[in-house]
Amino acid sequence: MSKGKLEKFNELAAMANIFEDGTPIPTEPKGFEMGWHREYFKNDNPIVLELACGKGDYAVALAEKYPDKNFIGVDIKGNRIWVGGAKALEKDLKNVLFLRTYIDKIEHFFEPNSISEIWITFPDPYLKKSKARKRLTSPLFLERYKKILKKDGIVQLKTDSNELFEYTIEGLDEKKITPIKVVQNVYKEDHGMDQLFIQTYYEKMHLEDGRSIKYVSFRL
Ligand SMILES: C[S@@+](CC[C@H](N)C(=O)[O-])C[C@H]1O[C@@H](n2cnc3c(N)ncnc32)[C@H](O)[C@@H]1O
């Protein structure tokens, strides 16, 4: 591990807005008591998750924009989460925190029917068919999200990957779910959504490569 990465890992534990699970995926829920995040936020405002948050660009930008909502960025990579955590502390944002864990365990950290919105920002597309189960919009993951989402809760995916986008839309179709909104090119279509112009670290790289950015939202 590089020195910078090691320093960030050591600092993670000390950062008040970063919670780490770090255990291998257990068969039974364990780790945090439910309600752990309410102790941090000290309010009952709606909870919005950014999954695969990396450096937490959406979590931080949305937290600034919507002080009456709470945001939780989730990713397994500690050195990336560190960047989001540090940015939130620097901006003195009290309505954003980060959880370092596998998203595979997401329902172990949140009560059923408790999450208002889920953003999935530029998740790895896992193009090989043998890895399809790892895609964050695979049926397995959608079932996990359904457990924790409120009845009218929404999932929003932003991606540069045509393959992941088509896979997600087809998966919804198989479940007889009609998307709320489909945007094929965020920077060419008139979608009327300010939030879509927040750019993540990976998004900036994809835009430099001339890739188009897609978005879909849906209920489960
Ligand atoms: C391509 S990066 C995108 C990061 C960020 N959203 C952005 O746009 O800059 C994908 C992120 O998803 C995370 N990730 C992928 N699968 C995951 C899983 N099952 N659990 C936790 N994190 C995961 C990776 O660690 C990585 O940081």
Side-chain angles (χ1 to χ4, degrees), residues 5 46 66 90 105 107 109 112 183 198-199 201 204 213:
K5 230 176 181 181
Y66 301 101
E90 192 185 296
K105 295 164 65 173
E107 76 263 41
F109 299 102
V183 181
I198 296 167
Q199 289 184 356
Y201 178 75
K204 285 180 185 143
I213 307 300

Side-chain angles (χ1 to χ4, degrees), residues 50 52-55 57 74-77 80 101-104 121-124 126 136 141 200-203:
E50 182 190 4
C53 71
K55 299 180 177 181
D57 298 296
V74 186
D75 202 291
I76 191 59
K77 295 215 168 130
R80 292 189 180 165
T101 188
Y102 283 103
I103 296 157
D104 314 51
T121 53
F122 299 88
D124 305 281
Y126 291 111
L136 292 185
F141 277 95
T200 73
Y201 178 75
Y202 270 82
E203 178 171 358

Side-chain angles (χ1 to χ4, degrees), residues 112-192:
N113 198 24
S114 67
I115 302 299
S116 298
E117 264 177 69
I118 292 178
W119 282 86
I120 312 172
T121 53
F122 299 88
D124 305 281
Y126 291 111
L127 295 178
K128 281 192 188 152
K129 226 176 170 185
S130 58
K131 294 267 169 77
R133 280 167 65 87
K134 285 175 165 258
R135 295 177 194 151
L136 292 185
T137 54
S138 73
L140 192 63
F141 277 95
L142 294 188
E143 279 313 305
R144 292 178 175 133
Y145 308 154
K146 191 174 175 175
K147 282 187 199 156
I148 58 171
L149 271 173
K150 292 187 170 183
K151 288 239 160 4
D152 60 346
I154 67 168
V155 180
Q156 312 189 69
L157 168 72
K158 214 176 161 197
T159 182
D160 64 301
S161 164
N162 289 324
E163 292 86 350
L164 183 72
F165 195 62
E166 289 311 319
Y167 169 84
T168 304
I169 305 261
E170 279 166 22
L172 293 176
D173 201 45
E174 275 164 29
K175 284 180 176 288
K176 311 254 177 297
I177 294 173
T178 308
I180 303 168
K181 199 171 192 103
V182 178
V183 181
Q184 297 287 348
N185 189 328
V186 162
Y187 298 99
K188 287 212 169 127
E189 284 172 42
D190 183 11
H191 43 72

Side-chain angles (χ1 to χ4, degrees), residues 1-10 79:
M1 196 184 285
S2 69
K3 189 168 171 270
K5 230 176 181 181
L6 189 65
E7 276 169 11
K8 283 179 183 170
F9 259 94
N10 291 337
N79 57 327

